[in-house]
Amino acid sequence: ADPDNKTLVEDCFRLLINTHNLRDLDGFACFYLEFLIRNHHENQLCTVYKRVAVIMPDYIPDTAELCHTLANALFQRGDSKAAAKMLQGLHTRFPAYANTDKAYLLMAQCLEALPNMQAQADKYRVFAQRLEQKKNVHNTVFL
Protein backbone atom coordinates (compact mmCIF):
# COMPACT_ATOMS: atom_id res chain seq x y z
CA ALA A 1 0.00 0.00 0.00
CA ASP A 2 2.89 2.37 0.72
CA PRO A 3 5.92 1.16 -1.29
CA ASP A 4 8.11 4.10 -0.29
CA ASN A 5 7.64 3.68 3.47
CA LYS A 6 11.05 2.43 4.59
CA THR A 7 9.83 1.16 7.97
CA LEU A 8 6.91 -0.71 6.45
CA VAL A 9 9.06 -2.27 3.71
CA GLU A 10 11.74 -3.35 6.18
CA ASP A 11 9.12 -4.78 8.57
CA CYS A 12 7.56 -6.74 5.73
CA PHE A 13 10.95 -8.15 4.76
CA ARG A 14 11.71 -9.16 8.36
CA LEU A 15 8.29 -10.82 8.66
CA LEU A 16 8.84 -12.86 5.48
CA ILE A 17 12.35 -13.88 6.59
CA ASN A 18 11.34 -14.77 10.13
CA THR A 19 8.31 -16.81 9.03
CA HIS A 20 10.23 -18.47 6.18
CA ASN A 21 7.44 -17.48 3.80
CA LEU A 22 9.29 -18.62 0.67
CA ARG A 23 6.40 -18.04 -1.73
CA ASP A 24 6.05 -14.34 -0.90
CA LEU A 25 9.73 -13.78 -0.15
CA ASP A 26 10.69 -14.88 -3.67
CA GLY A 27 8.90 -11.90 -5.21
CA PHE A 28 9.42 -9.45 -2.37
CA ALA A 29 13.20 -9.89 -2.22
CA CYS A 30 13.62 -8.29 -5.65
CA PHE A 31 11.33 -5.44 -4.68
CA TYR A 32 13.27 -4.88 -1.46
CA LEU A 33 16.69 -4.98 -3.16
CA GLU A 34 15.48 -2.48 -5.78
CA PHE A 35 13.99 -0.37 -2.99
CA LEU A 36 17.41 -0.23 -1.32
CA ILE A 37 19.04 0.88 -4.58
CA ARG A 38 16.38 3.52 -5.28
CA ASN A 39 16.82 4.91 -1.78
CA HIS A 40 20.63 4.90 -1.91
CA HIS A 41 21.12 2.10 0.63
CA GLU A 42 23.39 -0.02 -1.57
CA ASN A 43 25.51 -0.79 1.48
CA GLN A 44 22.69 -3.09 2.67
CA LEU A 45 22.41 -5.14 -0.55
CA CYS A 46 24.82 -7.89 0.49
CA THR A 47 23.32 -8.28 3.94
CA VAL A 48 19.79 -8.55 2.57
CA TYR A 49 20.87 -10.99 -0.15
CA LYS A 50 22.68 -13.18 2.41
CA ARG A 51 19.60 -13.25 4.65
CA VAL A 52 17.47 -14.38 1.72
CA ALA A 53 20.08 -16.94 0.63
CA VAL A 54 20.05 -18.58 4.06
CA ILE A 55 16.50 -19.80 3.53
CA MET A 56 16.49 -19.73 -0.29
CA PRO A 57 20.01 -20.88 -1.30
CA ASP A 58 19.26 -20.78 -5.03
CA TYR A 59 17.74 -17.29 -4.98
CA ILE A 60 18.66 -15.16 -7.98
CA PRO A 61 16.92 -11.83 -8.70
CA ASP A 62 14.61 -11.73 -11.68
CA THR A 63 16.19 -8.81 -13.55
CA ALA A 64 19.57 -8.59 -15.23
CA GLU A 65 20.21 -5.13 -13.83
CA LEU A 66 19.65 -6.30 -10.28
CA CYS A 67 21.81 -9.40 -10.78
CA HIS A 68 24.61 -7.21 -12.14
CA THR A 69 24.33 -4.61 -9.37
CA LEU A 70 24.16 -7.24 -6.65
CA ALA A 71 27.09 -9.17 -8.13
CA ASN A 72 29.15 -5.99 -8.11
CA ALA A 73 28.26 -5.32 -4.48
CA LEU A 74 29.13 -8.90 -3.50
CA PHE A 75 32.44 -8.71 -5.37
CA GLN A 76 33.32 -5.41 -3.69
CA ARG A 77 32.66 -7.06 -0.32
CA GLY A 78 35.00 -9.93 -1.21
CA ASP A 79 32.40 -12.60 -1.95
CA SER A 80 33.56 -13.56 -5.43
CA LYS A 81 31.85 -16.95 -5.33
CA ALA A 82 28.38 -15.49 -4.67
CA ALA A 83 28.99 -12.76 -7.24
CA ALA A 84 29.93 -15.33 -9.89
CA LYS A 85 26.83 -17.36 -9.06
CA MET A 86 24.72 -14.23 -9.58
CA LEU A 87 26.17 -13.69 -13.07
CA GLN A 88 26.35 -17.28 -14.26
CA GLY A 89 24.25 -17.77 -17.40
CA LEU A 90 23.20 -14.11 -17.50
CA HIS A 91 23.27 -14.00 -21.30
CA THR A 92 20.82 -16.91 -21.57
CA ARG A 93 18.51 -15.77 -18.78
CA PHE A 94 18.40 -12.18 -20.07
CA PRO A 95 19.37 -12.17 -23.76
CA ALA A 96 18.32 -8.54 -24.27
CA TYR A 97 20.43 -7.14 -21.43
CA ALA A 98 22.55 -4.35 -22.91
CA ASN A 99 25.39 -4.63 -20.39
CA THR A 100 26.14 -8.34 -20.51
CA ASP A 101 29.64 -7.50 -21.70
CA LYS A 102 30.31 -5.43 -18.56
CA ALA A 103 28.70 -8.09 -16.36
CA TYR A 104 30.95 -10.77 -17.84
CA LEU A 105 34.05 -8.65 -17.34
CA LEU A 106 32.99 -8.55 -13.69
CA MET A 107 32.48 -12.33 -13.86
CA ALA A 108 36.08 -12.68 -15.09
CA GLN A 109 37.29 -10.64 -12.11
CA CYS A 110 35.25 -12.82 -9.74
CA LEU A 111 36.66 -16.01 -11.20
CA GLU A 112 40.23 -14.68 -11.05
CA ALA A 113 39.77 -14.24 -7.32
CA LEU A 114 38.81 -17.91 -6.91
CA PRO A 115 41.33 -20.75 -6.81
CA ASN A 116 41.92 -22.66 -10.04
CA MET A 117 39.48 -20.56 -12.07
CA GLN A 118 41.89 -18.55 -14.25
CA ALA A 119 41.02 -20.51 -17.40
CA GLN A 120 37.31 -19.87 -16.86
CA ALA A 121 38.05 -16.20 -16.18
CA ASP A 122 39.89 -15.96 -19.50
CA LYS A 123 36.92 -17.51 -21.33
CA TYR A 124 34.52 -14.98 -19.82
CA ARG A 125 36.86 -12.11 -20.66
CA VAL A 126 37.08 -13.22 -24.31
CA PHE A 127 33.30 -13.67 -24.46
CA ALA A 128 32.77 -10.21 -22.93
CA GLN A 129 35.12 -8.67 -25.49
CA ARG A 130 33.19 -10.35 -28.32
CA LEU A 131 29.91 -9.04 -26.93
CA GLU A 132 31.38 -5.55 -26.65
CA GLN A 133 32.64 -5.65 -30.25
CA LYS A 134 29.27 -6.89 -31.46
CA LYS A 135 27.54 -4.09 -29.54
CA ASN A 136 29.92 -1.50 -30.99
CA VAL A 137 29.34 -2.74 -34.55
CA HIS A 138 25.59 -2.70 -33.96
CA ASN A 139 25.74 0.87 -32.60
CA THR A 140 27.94 2.04 -35.50
CA VAL A 141 25.50 0.65 -38.08
CA PHE A 142 22.64 2.66 -36.62
CA LEU A 143 24.55 5.92 -36.18
Side-chain angles (χ1 to χ4, degrees):
D2 191 0
D4 294 322
N5 183 325
K6 186 176 192 283
T7 303
L8 184 62
V9 171
E10 288 175 345
D11 286 349
C12 188
F13 176 72
R14 278 193 295 277
L15 176 68
L16 294 172
I17 287 288
N18 291 334
T19 60
H20 290 234
N21 184 336
L22 302 182
R23 182 180 55 92
D24 292 333
L25 181 60
D26 188 41
F28 191 80
C30 270
F31 169 79
Y32 187 43
L33 291 165
E34 289 170 345
F35 172 87
L36 293 172
I37 294 167
R38 270 193 322 276
N39 290 283
H40 309 289
H41 297 290
E42 291 89 351
N43 61 326
Q44 296 177 26
L45 290 175
C46 295
T47 303
V48 168
Y49 168 72
K50 299 271 184 184
R51 289 189 70 194
V52 172
V54 166
I55 60 175
M56 295 175 60
D58 295 327
Y59 174 74
I60 300 286
D62 58 10
T63 69
E65 293 82 3
L66 188 51
C67 287
H68 191 175
T69 301
L70 186 52
N72 190 51
L74 289 162
F75 178 71
Q76 295 302 320
R77 285 263 181 105
D79 194 344
S80 297
K81 186 175 181 179
K85 176 184 171 188
M86 194 64 49
L87 297 172
Q88 187 174 10
L90 192 76
H91 70 288
T92 55
R93 287 181 292 147
F94 307 103
Y97 184 49
N99 291 313
T100 303
D101 56 336
K102 292 179 177 86
Y104 279 174
L105 286 175
L106 175 59
M107 174 68 119
Q109 289 178 296
C110 293
L111 293 171
E112 284 175 342
L114 297 173
N116 304 315
M117 296 302 285
Q118 184 62 50
Q120 282 298 103
D122 292 342
K123 288 178 185 177
Y124 271 97
R125 186 167 285 105
V126 167
F127 187 55
Q129 289 167 345
R130 275 195 240 135
L131 288 173
E132 182 181 27
Q133 290 169 350
K134 185 177 177 182
K135 186 166 64 171
N136 289 339
V137 167
H138 180 74
N139 289 340
T140 303
V141 170
F142 290 104
L143 292 178

